[in-house]
PDB file of all heavy atoms in Angstrom:
ATOM      1  N   GLY V   1      22.733 -57.668-156.269  1.00 93.00           N
ATOM      2  CA  GLY V   1      21.562 -57.098-156.918  1.00 93.00           C
ATOM      3  C   GLY V   1      21.836 -55.839-157.705  1.00 93.00           C
ATOM      4  O   GLY V   1      20.939 -55.287-158.345  1.00 93.00           O
ATOM      5  N   VAL V   2      23.090 -55.368-157.692  1.00 95.00           N
ATOM      6  CA  VAL V   2      23.449 -54.085-158.298  1.00 95.00           C
ATOM      7  C   VAL V   2      24.466 -54.221-159.431  1.00 95.00           C
ATOM      8  O   VAL V   2      24.336 -53.575-160.466  1.00 95.00           O
ATOM      9  CB  VAL V   2      24.007 -53.126-157.215  1.00 95.00           C
ATOM     10  CG1 VAL V   2      24.551 -51.849-157.830  1.00 95.00           C
ATOM     11  CG2 VAL V   2      22.942 -52.822-156.175  1.00 95.00           C
ATOM     12  N   HIS V   3      25.472 -55.044-159.223  1.00 96.00           N
ATOM     13  CA  HIS V   3      26.570 -55.142-160.196  1.00 96.00           C
ATOM     14  C   HIS V   3      26.343 -56.263-161.204  1.00 96.00           C
ATOM     15  O   HIS V   3      25.786 -57.310-160.873  1.00 96.00           O
ATOM     16  CB  HIS V   3      27.902 -55.362-159.468  1.00 96.00           C
ATOM     17  CG  HIS V   3      28.324 -54.184-158.662  1.00 96.00           C
ATOM     18  ND1 HIS V   3      28.143 -54.114-157.301  1.00 96.00           N
ATOM     19  CD2 HIS V   3      28.881 -53.009-159.047  1.00 96.00           C
ATOM     20  CE1 HIS V   3      28.594 -52.946-156.876  1.00 96.00           C
ATOM     21  NE2 HIS V   3      29.040 -52.251-157.901  1.00 96.00           N
ATOM     22  N   PHE V   4      26.807 -56.021-162.432  1.00 97.00           N
ATOM     23  CA  PHE V   4      26.700 -57.033-163.479  1.00 97.00           C
ATOM     24  C   PHE V   4      27.593 -58.232-163.142  1.00 97.00           C
ATOM     25  O   PHE V   4      28.676 -58.067-162.590  1.00 97.00           O
ATOM     26  CB  PHE V   4      27.188 -56.497-164.833  1.00 97.00           C
ATOM     27  CG  PHE V   4      26.487 -55.292-165.368  1.00 97.00           C
ATOM     28  CD1 PHE V   4      26.942 -54.693-166.529  1.00 97.00           C
ATOM     29  CD2 PHE V   4      25.377 -54.738-164.745  1.00 97.00           C
ATOM     30  CE1 PHE V   4      26.322 -53.571-167.059  1.00 97.00           C
ATOM     31  CE2 PHE V   4      24.741 -53.618-165.273  1.00 97.00           C
ATOM     32  CZ  PHE V   4      25.228 -53.031-166.430  1.00 97.00           C
ATOM     33  N   THR V   5      27.141 -59.416-163.522  1.00 97.00           N
ATOM     34  CA  THR V   5      28.017 -60.584-163.518  1.00 97.00           C
ATOM     35  C   THR V   5      28.887 -60.519-164.778  1.00 97.00           C
ATOM     36  O   THR V   5      28.687 -59.662-165.647  1.00 97.00           O
ATOM     37  CB  THR V   5      27.198 -61.888-163.559  1.00 97.00           C
ATOM     38  OG1 THR V   5      26.457 -61.917-164.795  1.00 97.00           O
ATOM     39  CG2 THR V   5      26.255 -61.999-162.374  1.00 97.00           C
ATOM     40  N   GLU V   6      29.822 -61.446-164.897  1.00 97.00           N
ATOM     41  CA  GLU V   6      30.621 -61.522-166.127  1.00 97.00           C
ATOM     42  C   GLU V   6      29.713 -61.786-167.324  1.00 97.00           C
ATOM     43  O   GLU V   6      29.863 -61.165-168.383  1.00 97.00           O
ATOM     44  CB  GLU V   6      31.678 -62.623-166.000  1.00 97.00           C
ATOM     45  CG  GLU V   6      32.749 -62.287-164.975  1.00 97.00           C
ATOM     46  CD  GLU V   6      33.641 -63.464-164.633  1.00 97.00           C
ATOM     47  OE1 GLU V   6      33.091 -64.541-164.288  1.00 97.00           O
ATOM     48  OE2 GLU V   6      34.870 -63.317-164.707  1.00 97.00           O
ATOM     49  N   GLN V   7      28.745 -62.688-167.146  1.00 98.00           N
ATOM     50  CA  GLN V   7      27.788 -62.963-168.222  1.00 98.00           C
ATOM     51  C   GLN V   7      26.958 -61.718-168.519  1.00 98.00           C
ATOM     52  O   GLN V   7      26.597 -61.450-169.666  1.00 98.00           O
ATOM     53  CB  GLN V   7      26.869 -64.130-167.839  1.00 98.00           C
ATOM     54  CG  GLN V   7      27.569 -65.455-167.642  1.00 98.00           C
ATOM     55  CD  GLN V   7      28.177 -65.636-166.243  1.00 98.00           C
ATOM     56  OE1 GLN V   7      28.147 -64.729-165.407  1.00 98.00           O
ATOM     57  NE2 GLN V   7      28.760 -66.788-166.005  1.00 98.00           N
ATOM     58  N   GLY V   8      26.655 -60.945-167.469  1.00 98.00           N
ATOM     59  CA  GLY V   8      25.903 -59.708-167.644  1.00 98.00           C
ATOM     60  C   GLY V   8      26.656 -58.698-168.489  1.00 98.00           C
ATOM     61  O   GLY V   8      26.078 -58.020-169.336  1.00 98.00           O
ATOM     62  N   HIS V   9      27.961 -58.595-168.268  1.00 98.00           N
ATOM     63  CA  HIS V   9      28.779 -57.691-169.085  1.00 98.00           C
ATOM     64  C   HIS V   9      28.757 -58.121-170.548  1.00 98.00           C
ATOM     65  O   HIS V   9      28.649 -57.273-171.447  1.00 98.00           O
ATOM     66  CB  HIS V   9      30.225 -57.670-168.569  1.00 98.00           C
ATOM     67  CG  HIS V   9      30.454 -56.680-167.482  1.00 98.00           C
ATOM     68  ND1 HIS V   9      30.833 -55.385-167.721  1.00 98.00           N
ATOM     69  CD2 HIS V   9      30.352 -56.808-166.129  1.00 98.00           C
ATOM     70  CE1 HIS V   9      30.967 -54.741-166.554  1.00 98.00           C
ATOM     71  NE2 HIS V   9      30.676 -55.584-165.588  1.00 98.00           N
ATOM     72  N   ARG V  10      28.846 -59.415-170.792  1.00 98.00           N
ATOM     73  CA  ARG V  10      28.839 -59.889-172.185  1.00 98.00           C
ATOM     74  C   ARG V  10      27.478 -59.640-172.836  1.00 98.00           C
ATOM     75  O   ARG V  10      27.397 -59.243-174.002  1.00 98.00           O
ATOM     76  CB  ARG V  10      29.230 -61.365-172.238  1.00 98.00           C
ATOM     77  CG  ARG V  10      30.690 -61.601-171.828  1.00 98.00           C
ATOM     78  CD  ARG V  10      31.197 -62.970-172.201  1.00 98.00           C
ATOM     79  NE  ARG V  10      30.473 -64.042-171.541  1.00 98.00           N
ATOM     80  CZ  ARG V  10      30.781 -64.573-170.356  1.00 98.00           C
ATOM     81  NH1 ARG V  10      31.825 -64.107-169.685  1.00 98.00           N
ATOM     82  NH2 ARG V  10      30.067 -65.552-169.847  1.00 98.00           N
ATOM     83  N   ALA V  11      26.395 -59.838-172.068  1.00 98.00           N
ATOM     84  CA  ALA V  11      25.055 -59.564-172.600  1.00 98.00           C
ATOM     85  C   ALA V  11      24.884 -58.074-172.879  1.00 98.00           C
ATOM     86  O   ALA V  11      24.301 -57.677-173.894  1.00 98.00           O
ATOM     87  CB  ALA V  11      23.984 -60.047-171.619  1.00 98.00           C
ATOM     88  N   PHE V  12      25.397 -57.246-171.989  1.00 98.00           N
ATOM     89  CA  PHE V  12      25.329 -55.797-172.186  1.00 98.00           C
ATOM     90  C   PHE V  12      26.061 -55.415-173.474  1.00 98.00           C
ATOM     91  O   PHE V  12      25.568 -54.622-174.279  1.00 98.00           O
ATOM     92  CB  PHE V  12      25.943 -55.073-170.983  1.00 98.00           C
ATOM     93  CG  PHE V  12      25.783 -53.582-171.022  1.00 98.00           C
ATOM     94  CD1 PHE V  12      24.745 -52.961-170.350  1.00 98.00           C
ATOM     95  CD2 PHE V  12      26.675 -52.789-171.741  1.00 98.00           C
ATOM     96  CE1 PHE V  12      24.588 -51.583-170.389  1.00 98.00           C
ATOM     97  CE2 PHE V  12      26.525 -51.413-171.784  1.00 98.00           C
ATOM     98  CZ  PHE V  12      25.478 -50.808-171.108  1.00 98.00           C
ATOM     99  N   ALA V  13      27.244 -55.970-173.673  1.00 98.00           N
ATOM    100  CA  ALA V  13      28.022 -55.674-174.881  1.00 98.00           C
ATOM    101  C   ALA V  13      27.255 -56.075-176.136  1.00 98.00           C
ATOM    102  O   ALA V  13      27.222 -55.323-177.119  1.00 98.00           O
ATOM    103  CB  ALA V  13      29.375 -56.388-174.826  1.00 98.00           C
ATOM    104  N   ARG V  14      26.614 -57.237-176.117  1.00 97.00           N
ATOM    105  CA  ARG V  14      25.830 -57.675-177.281  1.00 97.00           C
ATOM    106  C   ARG V  14      24.706 -56.690-177.576  1.00 97.00           C
ATOM    107  O   ARG V  14      24.475 -56.312-178.724  1.00 97.00           O
ATOM    108  CB  ARG V  14      25.231 -59.071-177.037  1.00 97.00           C
ATOM    109  CG  ARG V  14      26.212 -60.208-177.208  1.00 97.00           C
ATOM    110  CD  ARG V  14      25.495 -61.555-177.264  1.00 97.00           C
ATOM    111  NE  ARG V  14      24.753 -61.867-176.044  1.00 97.00           N
ATOM    112  CZ  ARG V  14      25.265 -62.475-174.983  1.00 97.00           C
ATOM    113  NH1 ARG V  14      26.529 -62.847-174.963  1.00 97.00           N
ATOM    114  NH2 ARG V  14      24.511 -62.721-173.930  1.00 97.00           N
ATOM    115  N   GLY V  15      23.996 -56.274-176.528  1.00 98.00           N
ATOM    116  CA  GLY V  15      22.901 -55.325-176.714  1.00 98.00           C
ATOM    117  C   GLY V  15      23.391 -53.993-177.256  1.00 98.00           C
ATOM    118  O   GLY V  15      22.783 -53.421-178.160  1.00 98.00           O
ATOM    119  N   LEU V  16      24.501 -53.507-176.725  1.00 98.00           N
ATOM    120  CA  LEU V  16      25.026 -52.222-177.161  1.00 98.00           C
ATOM    121  C   LEU V  16      25.534 -52.285-178.598  1.00 98.00           C
ATOM    122  O   LEU V  16      25.334 -51.350-179.380  1.00 98.00           O
ATOM    123  CB  LEU V  16      26.132 -51.760-176.214  1.00 98.00           C
ATOM    124  CG  LEU V  16      26.776 -50.408-176.530  1.00 98.00           C
ATOM    125  CD1 LEU V  16      25.733 -49.301-176.673  1.00 98.00           C
ATOM    126  CD2 LEU V  16      27.790 -50.046-175.453  1.00 98.00           C
ATOM    127  N   LEU V  17      26.179 -53.373-178.964  1.00 96.00           N
ATOM    128  CA  LEU V  17      26.653 -53.516-180.345  1.00 96.00           C
ATOM    129  C   LEU V  17      25.492 -53.459-181.332  1.00 96.00           C
ATOM    130  O   LEU V  17      25.597 -52.827-182.392  1.00 96.00           O
ATOM    131  CB  LEU V  17      27.440 -54.825-180.501  1.00 96.00           C
ATOM    132  CG  LEU V  17      28.847 -54.811-179.892  1.00 96.00           C
ATOM    133  CD1 LEU V  17      29.380 -56.226-179.752  1.00 96.00           C
ATOM    134  CD2 LEU V  17      29.796 -53.960-180.730  1.00 96.00           C
ATOM    135  N   LYS V  18      24.378 -54.078-180.980  1.00 96.00           N
ATOM    136  CA  LYS V  18      23.196 -54.015-181.851  1.00 96.00           C
ATOM    137  C   LYS V  18      22.682 -52.589-181.971  1.00 96.00           C
ATOM    138  O   LYS V  18      22.312 -52.128-183.049  1.00 96.00           O
ATOM    139  CB  LYS V  18      22.087 -54.929-181.320  1.00 96.00           C
ATOM    140  CG  LYS V  18      22.379 -56.412-181.488  1.00 96.00           C
ATOM    141  CD  LYS V  18      21.262 -57.260-180.901  1.00 96.00           C
ATOM    142  CE  LYS V  18      21.610 -58.729-180.968  1.00 96.00           C
ATOM    143  NZ  LYS V  18      20.613 -59.571-180.269  1.00 96.00           N
ATOM    144  N   VAL V  19      22.637 -51.886-180.849  1.00 96.00           N
ATOM    145  CA  VAL V  19      22.169 -50.495-180.866  1.00 96.00           C
ATOM    146  C   VAL V  19      23.077 -49.637-181.735  1.00 96.00           C
ATOM    147  O   VAL V  19      22.610 -48.837-182.545  1.00 96.00           O
ATOM    148  CB  VAL V  19      22.096 -49.927-179.425  1.00 96.00           C
ATOM    149  CG1 VAL V  19      21.942 -48.421-179.437  1.00 96.00           C
ATOM    150  CG2 VAL V  19      20.947 -50.572-178.677  1.00 96.00           C
ATOM    151  N   LEU V  20      24.378 -49.785-181.589  1.00 95.00           N
ATOM    152  CA  LEU V  20      25.313 -48.983-182.381  1.00 95.00           C
ATOM    153  C   LEU V  20      25.144 -49.258-183.870  1.00 95.00           C
ATOM    154  O   LEU V  20      25.212 -48.341-184.690  1.00 95.00           O
ATOM    155  CB  LEU V  20      26.750 -49.250-181.943  1.00 95.00           C
ATOM    156  CG  LEU V  20      27.130 -48.775-180.544  1.00 95.00           C
ATOM    157  CD1 LEU V  20      28.578 -49.109-180.241  1.00 95.00           C
ATOM    158  CD2 LEU V  20      26.883 -47.284-180.375  1.00 95.00           C
ATOM    159  N   ASP V  21      24.919 -50.511-184.230  1.00 92.00           N
ATOM    160  CA  ASP V  21      24.683 -50.856-185.634  1.00 92.00           C
ATOM    161  C   ASP V  21      23.436 -50.154-186.166  1.00 92.00           C
ATOM    162  O   ASP V  21      23.381 -49.750-187.327  1.00 92.00           O
ATOM    163  CB  ASP V  21      24.527 -52.367-185.808  1.00 92.00           C
ATOM    164  CG  ASP V  21      25.861 -53.096-185.789  1.00 92.00           C
ATOM    165  OD1 ASP V  21      26.914 -52.446-185.943  1.00 92.00           O
ATOM    166  OD2 ASP V  21      25.853 -54.329-185.628  1.00 92.00           O
ATOM    167  N   GLU V  22      22.416 -50.005-185.302  1.00 91.00           N
ATOM    168  CA  GLU V  22      21.151 -49.395-185.726  1.00 91.00           C
ATOM    169  C   GLU V  22      21.200 -47.863-185.739  1.00 91.00           C
ATOM    170  O   GLU V  22      20.466 -47.229-186.490  1.00 91.00           O
ATOM    171  CB  GLU V  22      20.022 -49.852-184.798  1.00 91.00           C
ATOM    172  CG  GLU V  22      19.720 -51.338-184.907  1.00 91.00           C
ATOM    173  CD  GLU V  22      18.841 -51.856-183.781  1.00 91.00           C
ATOM    174  OE1 GLU V  22      18.426 -51.036-182.918  1.00 91.00           O
ATOM    175  OE2 GLU V  22      18.583 -53.065-183.742  1.00 91.00           O
ATOM    176  N   LEU V  23      22.057 -47.274-184.903  1.00 86.00           N
ATOM    177  CA  LEU V  23      22.087 -45.817-184.781  1.00 86.00           C
ATOM    178  C   LEU V  23      22.541 -45.127-186.054  1.00 86.00           C
ATOM    179  O   LEU V  23      21.918 -44.183-186.523  1.00 86.00           O
ATOM    180  CB  LEU V  23      23.029 -45.393-183.649  1.00 86.00           C
ATOM    181  CG  LEU V  23      22.559 -45.616-182.228  1.00 86.00           C
ATOM    182  CD1 LEU V  23      23.566 -45.032-181.254  1.00 86.00           C
ATOM    183  CD2 LEU V  23      21.195 -44.991-181.999  1.00 86.00           C
ATOM    184  N   SER V  24      23.655 -45.601-186.568  1.00 69.00           N
ATOM    185  CA  SER V  24      24.257 -44.898-187.700  1.00 69.00           C
ATOM    186  C   SER V  24      25.321 -45.784-188.324  1.00 69.00           C
ATOM    187  O   SER V  24      26.026 -46.498-187.604  1.00 69.00           O
ATOM    188  CB  SER V  24      24.891 -43.592-187.212  1.00 69.00           C
ATOM    189  OG  SER V  24      25.776 -43.074-188.168  1.00 69.00           O
ATOM    190  N   PRO V  25      25.478 -45.735-189.637  1.00 64.00           N
ATOM    191  CA  PRO V  25      26.566 -46.492-190.269  1.00 64.00           C
ATOM    192  C   PRO V  25      27.932 -46.090-189.710  1.00 64.00           C
ATOM    193  O   PRO V  25      28.850 -46.894-189.682  1.00 64.00           O
ATOM    194  CB  PRO V  25      26.458 -46.109-191.748  1.00 64.00           C
ATOM    195  CG  PRO V  25      25.056 -45.659-191.929  1.00 64.00           C
ATOM    196  CD  PRO V  25      24.644 -45.042-190.617  1.00 64.00           C
ATOM    197  N   ALA V  26      28.050 -44.858-189.227  1.00 60.00           N
ATOM    198  CA  ALA V  26      29.328 -44.399-188.679  1.00 60.00           C
ATOM    199  C   ALA V  26      29.741 -45.185-187.445  1.00 60.00           C
ATOM    200  O   ALA V  26      30.928 -45.345-187.166  1.00 60.00           O
ATOM    201  CB  ALA V  26      29.235 -42.917-188.328  1.00 60.00           C
ATOM    202  N   PHE V  27      28.750 -45.694-186.689  1.00 64.00           N
ATOM    203  CA  PHE V  27      29.060 -46.418-185.457  1.00 64.00           C
ATOM    204  C   PHE V  27      29.103 -47.928-185.652  1.00 64.00           C
ATOM    205  O   PHE V  27      29.397 -48.662-184.718  1.00 64.00           O
ATOM    206  CB  PHE V  27      28.037 -46.086-184.362  1.00 64.00           C
ATOM    207  CG  PHE V  27      27.980 -44.626-184.034  1.00 64.00           C
ATOM    208  CD1 PHE V  27      26.767 -43.976-183.962  1.00 64.00           C
ATOM    209  CD2 PHE V  27      29.131 -43.903-183.807  1.00 64.00           C
ATOM    210  CE1 PHE V  27      26.697 -42.617-183.657  1.00 64.00           C
ATOM    211  CE2 PHE V  27      29.076 -42.548-183.509  1.00 64.00           C
ATOM    212  CZ  PHE V  27      27.855 -41.906-183.433  1.00 64.00           C
ATOM    213  N   ALA V  28      28.768 -48.404-186.836  1.00 54.00           N
ATOM    214  CA  ALA V  28      28.781 -49.841-187.087  1.00 54.00           C
ATOM    215  C   ALA V  28      30.217 -50.346-187.036  1.00 54.00           C
ATOM    216  O   ALA V  28      31.155 -49.659-187.439  1.00 54.00           O
ATOM    217  CB  ALA V  28      28.155 -50.155-188.438  1.00 54.00           C
ATOM    218  N   ALA V  29      30.385 -51.542-186.545  1.00 50.00           N
ATOM    219  CA  ALA V  29      31.723 -52.117-186.410  1.00 50.00           C
ATOM    220  C   ALA V  29      32.366 -52.293-187.788  1.00 50.00           C
ATOM    221  O   ALA V  29      31.763 -52.856-188.684  1.00 50.00           O
ATOM    222  CB  ALA V  29      31.641 -53.456-185.698  1.00 50.00           C
ATOM    223  N   PRO V  30      33.613 -51.807-187.957  1.00 48.00           N
ATOM    224  CA  PRO V  30      34.270 -51.929-189.247  1.00 48.00           C
ATOM    225  C   PRO V  30      34.863 -53.300-189.511  1.00 48.00           C
ATOM    226  O   PRO V  30      35.283 -53.591-190.617  1.00 48.00           O
ATOM    227  CB  PRO V  30      35.378 -50.871-189.158  1.00 48.00           C
ATOM    228  CG  PRO V  30      35.706 -50.812-187.695  1.00 48.00           C
ATOM    229  CD  PRO V  30      34.396 -51.064-186.990  1.00 48.00           C
ATOM    230  N   CYS V  31      34.913 -54.142-188.476  1.00 44.00           N
ATOM    231  CA  CYS V  31      35.519 -55.454-188.661  1.00 44.00           C
ATOM    232  C   CYS V  31      34.486 -56.524-188.335  1.00 44.00           C
ATOM    233  O   CYS V  31      33.583 -56.313-187.542  1.00 44.00           O
ATOM    234  CB  CYS V  31      36.741 -55.607-187.764  1.00 44.00           C
ATOM    235  SG  CYS V  31      36.427 -55.287-186.027  1.00 44.00           S
TER     236      CYS V  31
END
């Protein structure tokens, strides 16, 4: 009930990548 599953880690990464893209062009993925 506390730790992420492997799928949870991948979902977290997807969510964070979207946030970084929205925060600033400086944080957007260059590749």
Side-chain angles (χ1 to χ4, degrees):
V2 173
H3 293 100
F4 301 175
T5 63
E6 292 169 308
Q7 297 84 356
H9 273 270
R10 293 195 298 271
F12 186 96
R14 282 193 298 272
L16 181 53
L17 285 164
K18 289 178 185 174
V19 166
L20 293 180
D21 282 344
E22 294 167 2
L23 287 185
S24 164
F27 301 132
C31 54

